[in-house]
């Protein structure tokens, strides 16, 4: 029986994790579950899984959560310290699926506790990658990537020596504007941008896929996870989203991981690692798919990917600035306040203006994030939500 805590249990990744856990209830025991505000869903999850601790980040939702858990053996708690407690409880495996920088302190707590951490939260590596990797090396924590591309790379690396890797090739679907003209991209609406052709995801990450910023964030994640410089990290557009990423070795061999575009596959890999477990994901039928296409990304129509690579190469605070400015810009785009090309323009301006020291702690990272958000809001004529 493997003990797990699920941070962000009420979200998309959290729900998929719970579905897999409940299908294999004899194999897992859930210790802690967390959410931001959704006390109703969290209490339901805590009762179903018989978790010992349920945490809402929003302290204003604590009494609601306590009421909903009355009569159960689950303790209710709230606030950041309680999230950190859930991350460092006595479970073996932590599913880190909080969205955004709110996940940083809990993820760091799990890493410092030397746990196995199934990492979905992109921001942890994008904004605090060097700190997280150093902490993992010091504590002996294991990071299992849940993002499908990094999970694919992790699978391709199994049984191989890291020194034999010559290149990592991240695949990108190309998003909804892959074949659109520059003029059509300029006029793109939020509804068009969130209509991802292959993956069903939240609005923010779907817009990131449309700008290719998502792939840029993944380049930064890959750099920290696999310890390769930008020059050994490539991106290729692959509209079918069947090949989830590839690793090229010094002898010219290229290993790829394939599967249907279903997050339950990489989540299951992390849950069962180093073994595997069955999932209900659709099986891959290559004869029906027929053709797999690949193309180089167009950095003129999709400048966000170039900006992310530049931020990776600059290092220090640049990836934090990139991430924070992008989040503010995407939220404004979704609110109808700015145009689609303004997202990359604002990120570019934020990176050009940034003057921050190298962060040495999660506190430094959160401060750079906060200042950049304020500055990016200031660059826009409209108010920020
Ligand atoms: P969702 O928005 O669906 O869920 C986010 C979860 O985090 C919810 O449980 C939410 O609680 C909780 N949460 C939100 N804000 C806070 C906060 N301030 N403090 C504590 N908890 C908070 O996100 P996803 O599940 O889609 O994504 C989670 C992470 O995984 C993200 O970093 C994303 O980039 C990454 N990822 C997601 C993929 C996907 O397919 N969805 C693919 C690859 C990576 P509540 O319900 O109460 O709001």
């Amino acid at each position: 029986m493997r003990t797990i805590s699920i941070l962000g249990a009420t979200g998309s990744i959290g729900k998929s994790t719970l579905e897999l856990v409940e299908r294999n209830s004899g194999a897992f025991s859930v210790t802690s579950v967390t959410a931001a505000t959704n006390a109703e869903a969290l209490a339901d999850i805590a009762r179903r899984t018989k978790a010992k601790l349920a945490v809402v980040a929003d302290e204003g939702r604590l009494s609601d959560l306590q009421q909903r858990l009355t009569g159960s053996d689950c303790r209710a708690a709230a606030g950041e310290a309680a999230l950190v407690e859930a991350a460092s409880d006595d479970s073996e495996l932590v599913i880190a699926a909080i969205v955004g920088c709110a996940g940083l302190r809990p993820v760091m707590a799990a890493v410092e506790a030397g746990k196995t951490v199934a990492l979905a939260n992109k921001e942890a590596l994008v904004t605090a990658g060097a700190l997280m990797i150093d902490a993992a090396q010091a504590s002996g924590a294991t990071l299992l990537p849940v993002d499908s591309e990094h999970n694919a790379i992790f699978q391709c690396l199994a049984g191989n020596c890291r020194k034999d890797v010559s290149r990592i090739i991240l695949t990108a679907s190309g998003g909804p504007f892959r074949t659109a003209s520059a003029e059509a991209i300029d006029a793109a609406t939020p509804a068009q941008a969130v209509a991802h052709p292959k993956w069903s995801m939240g609005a923010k990450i779907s817009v990131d896929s449309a700008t290719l910023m998502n792939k840029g964030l993944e380049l930064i994640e890959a750099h920290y996870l696999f310890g390769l410089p930008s020059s050994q990290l490539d991106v290729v557009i692959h509209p079918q989203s069947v090949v989830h990423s590839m690793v090229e070795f010094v002898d010219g061999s290229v290993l790829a991981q394939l599967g249907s575009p279903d997050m339950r596959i990489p989540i299951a890999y992390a849950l069962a690692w180093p073994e595997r477990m069955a999932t209900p994901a659709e099986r891959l039928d290559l004869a029906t798919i027929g053709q797999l296409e690949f193309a180089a990304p167009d950095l003129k129509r999709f400048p966000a990917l170039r900006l992310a690579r530049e931020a990776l190469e600059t290092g220090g605070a640049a990836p934090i600035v990139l991430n924070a400015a992008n989040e503010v810009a995407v939220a404004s785009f979704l609110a109808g306040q700015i145009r689609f090309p303004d997202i990359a323009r604002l990120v570019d301006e934020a990176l050009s203006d940034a003057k921050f020291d190298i962060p040495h702690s999660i506190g430094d990272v959160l401060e750079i994030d906060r200042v950049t958000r304020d500055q990016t809001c200031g660059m826009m004529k409209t108010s920020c939500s």
Side-chain angles (χ1 to χ4, degrees):
M1 179 82 83
R2 197 162 200 204
T3 50
I4 64 169
S5 54
I6 308 174
L7 314 179
T10 50
S12 162
I13 297 284
K15 282 185 204 151
S16 296
T17 304
L18 283 159
E19 183 199 329
L20 292 167
V21 164
E22 287 176 336
R23 290 173 72 96
N24 296 273
S25 53
F28 299 100
S29 165
V30 177
T31 55
S32 301
V33 290
T34 81
T37 56
N38 195 344
E40 184 179 358
L42 187 67
D44 176 54
I45 290 166
R47 283 185 181 276
R48 272 175 18 221
T49 58
K50 299 188 172 57
K52 297 188 193 93
L53 176 63
V55 179
V56 272
D58 180 353
E59 298 186 9
R61 305 309 302 265
L62 179 58
S63 61
D64 184 13
L65 183 63
Q66 280 168 331
Q67 271 177 7
R68 292 179 186 278
L69 288 172
T70 306
S72 77
D73 291 333
C74 183
R75 178 165 63 89
E80 190 177 73
L83 287 176
V84 166
E85 184 188 345
S88 41
D89 69 2
D90 56 6
S91 62
E92 296 157 52
L93 175 65
V94 176
I95 311 295
I98 292 175
V99 65
C101 284
L104 284 189
R105 287 197 200 278
V107 172
M108 187 53 117
V111 169
E112 286 177 343
K115 297 206 184 204
T116 301
V117 182
L119 195 58
N121 175 282
K122 285 179 196 281
E123 295 78 7
L125 286 175
V126 169
T127 67
L131 298 171
M132 293 281 171
I133 297 300
D134 285 353
Q137 276 166 0
S139 70
T142 302
L143 295 179
L144 299 176
V146 169
D147 219 348
S148 60
E149 293 77 2
H150 306 83
N151 186 270
I153 295 160
F154 191 82
Q155 294 197 38
C156 294
L157 288 172
N160 288 291
C161 290
R162 298 283 169 110
K163 71 169 179 53
D164 295 334
V165 173
S166 57
R167 199 162 56 116
I168 278 175
I169 306 153
L170 292 163
T171 52
S173 71
F177 306 137
R178 180 176 58 88
T179 55
S181 66
E183 294 71 29
I185 293 174
D186 278 4
T189 65
Q192 291 169 329
V194 299
H196 197 280
K198 287 288 169 192
W199 294 92
S200 162
M201 303 181 292
K204 193 267 174 183
I205 190 170
S206 296
V207 175
D208 285 346
S209 294
T211 58
L212 290 199
M213 179 59 90
N214 186 47
K215 212 48 54 183
L217 298 175
E218 289 175 6
L219 270 182
I220 300 172
E221 275 186 274
H223 163 73
Y224 289 112
L225 271 172
F226 306 114
L228 290 183
S230 170
S231 57
Q232 286 174 271
L233 300 171
D234 274 355
V235 172
V236 67
I237 303 295
H238 167 48
Q240 288 78 19
S241 295
V242 164
V243 176
H244 296 306
S245 278
M246 296 171 261
V247 178
E248 181 192 83
F249 294 89
V250 287
D251 61 0
S253 298
V254 176
L255 295 189
Q257 186 259 350
L258 284 68
S260 54
D262 186 328
M263 283 307 293
R264 291 175 298 185
I265 297 174
I267 294 170
Y269 185 86
L271 281 171
W273 182 86
E275 297 175 19
R276 291 189 186 256
M277 62 191 268
T279 77
E282 197 181 321
R283 302 294 109 154
L284 199 57
D285 180 352
L286 287 172
T288 301
I289 293 167
Q291 272 193 323
L292 298 180
E293 298 161 90
F294 300 93
D298 179 347
L299 299 183
K300 283 215 174 79
R301 283 185 305 141
F302 301 102
L305 180 56
R306 171 181 57 79
L307 293 170
R309 192 182 280 283
E310 285 170 9
L312 164 61
E313 288 167 0
T314 303
I320 311 171
V321 172
L322 175 96
N323 179 66
N326 180 59
E327 279 193 20
V328 171
V330 170
S332 298
F333 169 70
L334 286 170
Q337 295 168 336
I338 61 171
R339 294 162 54 246
F340 188 78
D342 292 333
I343 299 173
R345 182 184 58 75
L346 284 163
V347 172
D348 198 358
E349 275 181 42
L351 284 167
S352 305
D353 293 352
K355 288 182 187 59
F356 296 107
D357 293 333
I358 293 174
H360 294 293
S361 66
I362 295 296
D364 291 348
V365 172
L366 292 172
E367 180 59 10
I368 296 167
D369 176 81
R370 186 192 65 74
V371 172
T372 304
R373 281 169 197 274
D374 287 351
Q375 288 175 343
T376 311
C377 285
M379 288 175 204
M380 288 185 279
K381 305 264 183 310
T382 50
S383 62
C384 273
S385 43

